[in-house]
Amino acid sequence: MRAASRPGPWKRGPVLTALALLLGLLMLLHARIPNRIGNLGSLVETFLPWFGLFIPVLLIAALWRRSASAVAALLLPVIVWLNLFGGLLGDRSHPGGGLTVAEHNVGAGNPDPAGTARDLAASGADVLALVELTEEARGTYETELAKAYPYHTVQGTVGLWSKLPLSDTQPVDTKMDAGPLGDTKPLDIKMAYNRALRTTVATHQGPLAVYVAHLGSARVNPRAGFWTAHRDRNAQALGEAIAAEQNERVVLLGDLNGTIDDRAFASITSQLRSAQDAAGNGFGFTWPAKFPVVRIDQILVRGVKAGSSWVLPATGSDHLPTAARIAL
């Protein structure tokens, strides 16, 4: 009697079936999740690839419950996840690319800036962008990198070192200060904490516009949720600067404090393509260095083709350096 009264495999696990469908819909419709409450949409998009971990958990539960409906429902999140991220699982690098560019948030609290500089010089990068430079460590980086990079510029807390000549260097206003109070601050005061620059690298194939940027931090806290106000304002201003760029060949190197899946970067990602997405191997997570879970250090390009993209070994920073080889 009890065996006859048990629900069949298609009627078992209704909760698991519902969770599987909700997971698939969440990933499919992530762009529809509103940001009005605690920037929930941006928070989901930041960690969107990791939602795939729920699939094997639900599958194990469905098999344990012998729920055919839950197993079938899991096809939705599997298909959606593979459509979003399946292309990132393999090695997408290809031959070509004559210029190697690299970016690293060297960390304000880095205990070994000299060692970090030597490691970065040994990477063989032709163009090297550093962000979160402190006044105390700046001289160390300039000294250690001088032999490998005869040209360099530092604007505020960001800098670019190059084996090729630089010209037309200028700070980029990413609206670190907003409102009337910010407008009253003198330029020399603002420059002390400027976090973006634009310069021209003289390559053998012609001029290349290079932007270096360190956008505002993102924070998660109970009161504000996913707080990104400064970062989002910086991103919009940087997108406007790139939109006004006359050179068709552009490279952006920087710590954007967010992933390119985040809608906050639409003004940038609508113009530039991720080198990692185009020519990397895997997701290329860069933060935190000890156990990377997101890629917030980016190399984005326009008018040039990325041949390969990779993450460099850890230094004394809490970020991992990232590099790409591009064809001009």
Side-chain angles (χ1 to χ4, degrees):
M1 290 288 292
R2 271 185 289 181
S5 64
R6 288 176 184 168
W10 289 99
K11 293 184 178 180
R12 293 176 191 152
V15 174
L16 291 173
T17 302
L19 289 174
L21 293 174
L22 286 173
L23 177 61
L25 290 173
L26 182 145
M27 292 190 292
L28 179 65
L29 303 176
H30 65 86
R32 302 288 185 89
I33 300 173
N35 257 346
R36 290 189 298 273
I37 302 175
N39 269 357
L40 181 60
S42 286
L43 181 61
V44 168
E45 289 166 340
T46 297
F47 296 99
L48 196 57
W50 292 98
F51 281 85
L53 291 179
F54 290 109
I55 295 174
V57 173
L58 290 174
L59 177 60
I60 292 171
L63 293 174
W64 180 72
R65 288 282 291 127
R66 297 181 182 178
S67 172
S69 59
V71 172
L74 279 169
L75 287 174
L76 176 61
V78 168
I79 292 171
V80 173
W81 193 93
L82 289 175
N83 182 64
L84 290 172
F85 304 111
L88 301 179
L89 295 178
D91 186 354
R92 302 171 300 284
S93 62
H94 42 268
L99 186 74
T100 300
V101 297
E103 181 276 338
H104 191 26
N105 179 327
V106 293
N110 190 327
D112 185 19
T116 297
R118 289 192 293 269
D119 289 343
L120 293 172
S123 72
D126 301 298
V127 175
L128 173 64
L130 304 184
V131 308
E132 207 168 290
L133 290 166
T134 63
E135 192 63 33
E136 295 77 16
R138 172 178 169 173
T140 300
Y141 287 108
E142 289 177 329
T143 300
E144 295 293 337
L145 295 172
K147 184 176 179 180
Y149 300 96
Y151 308 96
H152 89 281
T153 179
V154 174
Q155 303 285 320
T157 63
V158 298
L160 190 75
W161 277 257
S162 175
K163 296 179 181 180
L164 302 168
L166 305 176
S167 62
D168 303 323
T169 301
Q170 56 190 359
V172 175
D173 182 9
T174 55
K175 295 182 171 57
M176 291 297 297
D177 294 298
L181 181 60
D183 294 337
T184 63
K185 291 185 178 180
L187 181 60
D188 59 335
I189 298 297
K190 291 184 177 183
M191 275 303 300
Y193 52 88
N194 174 70
R195 292 169 59 149
L197 68 83
R198 184 263 181 215
T199 191
T200 299
V201 177
T203 76
H204 298 300
Q205 287 74 35
L208 174 69
V210 176
Y211 287 77
V212 181
H214 183 197
L215 304 188
S217 298
R219 296 283 186 268
V220 179
N221 62 68
R223 296 185 63 184
F226 190 44
W227 186 83
T228 62
H230 290 169
R231 185 204 68 180
D232 295 352
R233 185 175 69 245
N234 298 161
Q236 183 63 35
L238 181 59
E240 292 171 1
I242 294 171
E245 174 60 52
Q246 298 298 308
N247 194 329
E248 287 301 314
R249 304 192 306 170
V250 178
V251 174
L252 168 61
L253 307 165
D255 173 6
L256 303 189
N257 270 309
T259 72
I260 60 169
D261 295 312
D262 190 332
R263 67 193 69 178
F265 300 106
S267 64
I268 297 173
T269 55
S270 62
Q271 305 180 71
L272 307 176
R273 186 181 184 191
S274 165
Q276 181 67 23
D277 279 5
N281 186 358
F283 290 93
F285 296 144
T286 62
W287 184 88
K290 291 184 177 179
F291 188 77
V293 296
V294 291
R295 182 181 178 87
I296 61 176
D297 298 273
Q298 308 290 353
I299 298 177
L300 306 175
V301 300
R302 181 184 80 191
V304 299
K305 185 176 181 180
S308 55
S309 178
W310 64 97
V311 174
L312 294 166
T315 68
S317 172
D318 58 343
H319 292 242
L320 295 177
T322 184
R325 188 169 292 110
I326 59 175
L328 302 171

